[in-house]
Amino acid sequence: MITLSNSTNLSNSKTNPDILQPVISCHNITKTYGSKDTEITVLNSVSLDIYSGEFVAIVGPSGSGKTTLMNILGALDIASSGTYTLDGKLVSNLKDDDLADIRNKKIGFVFQSFNLLSRATVERNVRLPLIYSTEFRSKDRKERVRRVVEDAGLQLSKLYNKSNQLSGGQMQRVAIARALVNNPSIILADEPTGNLDQTTGKIVIDTFLELNKQGRTIILITHDLNVANNARRIIHIQDGKIISDELNKNKL
Ligand code: ADP
Ligand code: MG
């Protein structure tokens, strides 16, 4: 069962605005699969705080629990125990509609395999998450799509190409544009360079660095230390446990 937390921190922030609250706060998150005899623990007492504007890499070998953690951070999945607070809201207490809402408004997701509608155009793929938008009205959506396509570093001349006509690097840019379209404060990227060659991967990382400069919080999940090295803070995960959480001395 999910442990309920009190909201002491939240009330503190209301009475004392000087106390900086993390946008993401995990306390003793555990995730298990299976039942009694066959139970496996995939995340084991993970605690971390991430503050607005950080660029954090979560790095670990295959099977260490990175995607499981990303799914919890992205409110796509719920922990077996522990507490997770996203932007001051206790995620385990939210109903499905509220979870969908928080995901759509606050988080942009980028995946290893792009997850685009392959036969739809770039414009349609990027526009899709705007369906639920209250921030961007119908008449503003065309312009919004163009804006984020450019922000993601893709040429506007590709707007009406089908996504399966693009290179891997271009597809990942479409996915980044789609992640940006609802103006989320947090970008969660799971192995975003995993299907790209080194040069193209670097360009994608540079795009994240630029988005971070604009104030977005970036959480970059990777098995590749070289990729993780672009972040200012690096969290190492192994066998479902955080084994280190340090500032990257190369980026200070
Ligand atoms: P990573 O992304 O670091 O490669 P994952 O989070 O995908 O690791 O997986 C961590 C471990 O959890 C793996 O051993 C995987 O087999 C297991 N796992 C992931 N999802 C499930 C599931 N739905 N049921 C059972 N085991 C799972
Ligand atoms: Mg994974």
Side-chain angles (χ1 to χ4, degrees):
M1 277 305 290
I2 311 296
T3 323
L4 297 180
S5 86
N6 62 41
S7 57
T8 321
N9 290 342
L10 287 176
S11 49
N12 273 348
S13 73
K14 279 181 192 142
T15 49
N16 184 354
D18 292 338
I19 299 177
L20 189 61
Q21 294 300 318
V23 278
I24 278 178
S25 184
C26 293
H27 188 67
N28 286 341
I29 291 285
T30 296
K31 182 75 184 178
T32 55
Y33 288 110
S35 54
K36 270 189 187 163
D37 307 342
T38 57
E39 188 173 274
I40 59 160
T41 301
V42 175
L43 291 178
N44 190 349
S45 209
V46 168
S47 296
L48 59 91
D49 285 336
I50 295 175
Y51 290 86
S52 179
E54 280 200 281
F55 191 136
V56 183
I58 298 176
V59 64
S62 174
S64 56
K66 301 183 299 296
T67 295
T68 307
L69 180 58
M70 144 134 172
N71 288 341
I72 291 172
L73 297 181
L76 294 162
D77 197 3
I78 298 280
S80 307
S81 67
T83 52
Y84 173 38
T85 314
L86 173 61
D87 218 8
K89 287 205 171 87
L90 192 61
V91 171
S92 43
N93 277 1
L94 296 178
K95 300 201 179 70
D96 284 352
D97 280 358
D98 295 329
L99 284 174
D101 197 50
I102 207 168
R103 274 198 300 273
N104 207 35
K105 286 194 179 130
K106 294 198 188 302
I107 304 172
F109 293 92
V110 179
F111 303 96
Q112 174 169 358
S113 48
F114 322 130
N115 296 10
L116 301 175
L117 298 176
S118 62
R119 281 178 296 181
T121 61
V122 169
E123 139 65 54
R124 176 140 183 259
N125 271 283
V126 176
R127 184 189 280 256
L128 215 57
L130 285 176
I131 291 176
Y132 307 104
S133 173
T134 47
E135 186 179 347
F136 300 99
R137 295 177 180 280
S138 303
K139 66 176 174 50
D140 302 323
R141 291 182 183 174
K142 189 172 177 189
E143 187 47 41
R144 178 66 189 161
V145 169
R146 295 174 76 87
R147 166 84 196 269
V148 291
V149 163
E150 283 191 305
D151 284 353
L154 188 70
Q155 292 156 316
L156 284 176
S157 60
K158 302 283 181 206
L159 213 48
Y160 294 99
N161 283 41
K162 289 188 178 167
S163 69
N164 62 10
Q165 296 166 338
L166 304 175
S167 70
Q170 289 167 339
M171 285 190 215
Q172 198 57 303
R173 286 161 183 274
V174 177
I176 293 171
R178 179 186 57 189
L180 289 173
V181 80
N182 274 320
N183 201 20
S185 54
I186 303 168
I187 304 277
L188 265 180
D190 190 4
E191 305 275 8
T193 60
N195 281 351
L196 305 176
D197 63 71
Q198 216 175 347
T199 313
T200 315
K202 180 74 179 97
I203 296 170
V204 163
I205 296 296
D206 286 344
T207 307
F208 287 129
L209 286 166
E210 186 55 39
L211 294 171
N212 179 244
K213 263 194 209 153
Q214 295 165 7
R216 291 184 214 269
T217 308
I218 312 284
I219 304 174
L220 171 63
I221 291 171
T222 178
H223 68 280
D224 185 338
L225 262 179
N226 288 325
V227 172
N229 237 325
N230 290 287
R232 276 196 298 272
R233 173 179 166 197
I234 303 180
I235 298 174
H236 281 262
I237 180 168
Q238 197 175 303
D239 297 329
K241 277 193 152 180
I242 291 181
I243 54 166
S244 69
D245 181 348
E246 291 169 337
L247 292 177
N248 182 0
K249 55 182 184 306
N250 301 317
K251 292 281 168 185
L252 295 180

